[in-house]
Amino acid sequence: ETNTLPFHPFENQQGDILRMEKEHQVLKEQLKEAEEKFEQLQSRSLEEIGALEELLKKSTEETQVSQNELDWFHQDSETQMKKWQQEKKENRENLKALRSTAKKHSDTNERYLKTIDDKEKQYNVCLNTFLETSNKFANEKGKLEELIKKSQDDSQECEKRAVKAEVSVLQTWKETETWKLKGTIAKAEGNLRMLKALGSSASAAPVLKSQIDSWEIFIANVKKQLEKVEAEYEEKIELVKNGARNCLSKVEIVDFPSP
């Protein structure tokens, strides 16, 4: 997205396309310089030929040169002409090579531009598809979040009702068991009062003392059992209110035999 990676398959490393464009520009400048040099050389050669021809005409009109001097002049002119023609030929070949290279780079540049345009179109198609999919998922996510919130609210309400129901059951069991134990204690205390009333006489006191002691021990044990049952049921109720699970069970009660 930020053009920091090579553009495969047209780049082996980052900046190949920019480097080719710079080389293309350099070749253009070299071609321009060669054309200017060729024009300057052609102009200079034409001027030199004109000057030589004028000099030849002037020399012929003014003096009669020897055949050797004339041959030398012609040879020199031919040498200069061949040299100029050779330079001209070389410049033409260089110009042709530069034009071929420039055309090659121009074709490559056009091909790269076309490829970039095609890739950009593909990118836009993928981007539009991604945006549509993203919007669709966002809508579905919103609906799911609403359903999750509703489910959480329902779950919390169910948990509250469940806790309330468990507390109610434990409270009922507690009241039932404590009512039974309190009834047992009340009966035992009635029997104890009766025995104590009968044992008020001196003759019956030794006989009933052991029974009175047994009933007192029995009442004390049942009261301890009552305290234990109440405490354990209260503990279970508090655990359920604090979110504990698997607490819905009856407290184990020891059945003490009556004296």
Side-chain angles (χ1 to χ4, degrees), residues 24-80:
H24 183 202
Q25 186 64 30
V26 171
L27 289 174
K28 276 186 174 181
E29 292 175 359
Q30 291 178 355
L31 176 60
K32 183 178 179 181
E33 291 175 0
E35 289 177 346
E36 291 176 355
K37 182 178 179 181
F38 171 74
E39 290 175 358
Q40 292 175 1
L41 181 60
Q42 186 178 28
S43 177
R44 187 171 68 251
S45 298
L46 291 174
E47 290 176 359
E48 289 175 359
I49 291 172
L52 290 173
E53 290 177 349
E54 185 68 22
L55 180 62
L56 178 60
K57 181 179 178 181
K58 184 177 180 180
S59 297
T60 301
E61 292 175 350
E62 290 180 354
T63 60
Q64 291 291 333
V65 294
S66 64
Q67 187 64 36
N68 292 333
E69 291 177 347
L70 183 61
D71 292 340
W72 174 83
F73 176 76
H74 282 299
Q75 288 177 1
D76 186 64
S77 297
E78 289 177 358
T79 302
Q80 293 293 332

Side-chain angles (χ1 to χ4, degrees), residues 27-28 47 53 80 96 111 129 147 165 167 177 216 257:
L27 289 174
K28 276 186 174 181
E47 290 176 359
E53 290 177 349
Q80 293 293 332
K96 183 179 179 181
R111 187 170 65 253
T129 303
L147 290 175
V167 170
E177 297 299 336
E216 287 179 346

Side-chain angles (χ1 to χ4, degrees), residues 110-216:
E110 289 179 358
R111 187 170 65 253
Y112 285 164
L113 289 175
K114 185 177 181 302
T115 303
I116 292 172
D117 186 61
D118 294 339
K119 294 297 182 181
E120 186 175 1
K121 290 179 181 178
Q122 294 178 7
Y123 167 76
N124 290 330
V125 171
C126 293
L127 178 61
N128 292 332
T129 303
F130 168 76
L131 292 176
E132 291 176 0
T133 305
S134 178
N135 292 334
K136 181 180 177 181
F137 284 158
N139 294 332
E140 292 180 357
K141 180 183 178 182
K143 293 179 181 179
L144 289 175
E145 287 177 349
E146 291 179 359
L147 290 175
I148 290 171
K149 186 177 183 303
K150 185 176 182 301
S151 298
Q152 288 176 345
D153 294 340
D154 293 342
S155 175
Q156 291 177 357
E157 184 64 25
C158 290
E159 287 182 1
K160 290 179 181 179
R161 292 170 60 189
V163 169
K164 186 176 180 180
E166 290 186 9
V167 170
S168 178
V169 170
L170 291 172
Q171 191 68 33
T172 301
W173 287 349
K174 173 190 171 185
E175 292 175 356
T176 301
E177 297 299 336
T178 55
W179 179 80
K180 289 180 180 178
L181 292 173
K182 287 179 180 179
T184 301
I185 292 171
K187 290 180 180 180
E189 288 178 344
N191 292 333
L192 182 60
R193 283 194 299 272
M194 184 183 298
L195 288 174
K196 285 183 177 180
L198 292 174
S200 60
S201 62
S203 59
V207 178
L208 298 177
K209 186 178 184 304
S210 62
Q211 295 185 16
I212 291 171
D213 292 341
S214 297
W215 279 104
E216 287 179 346

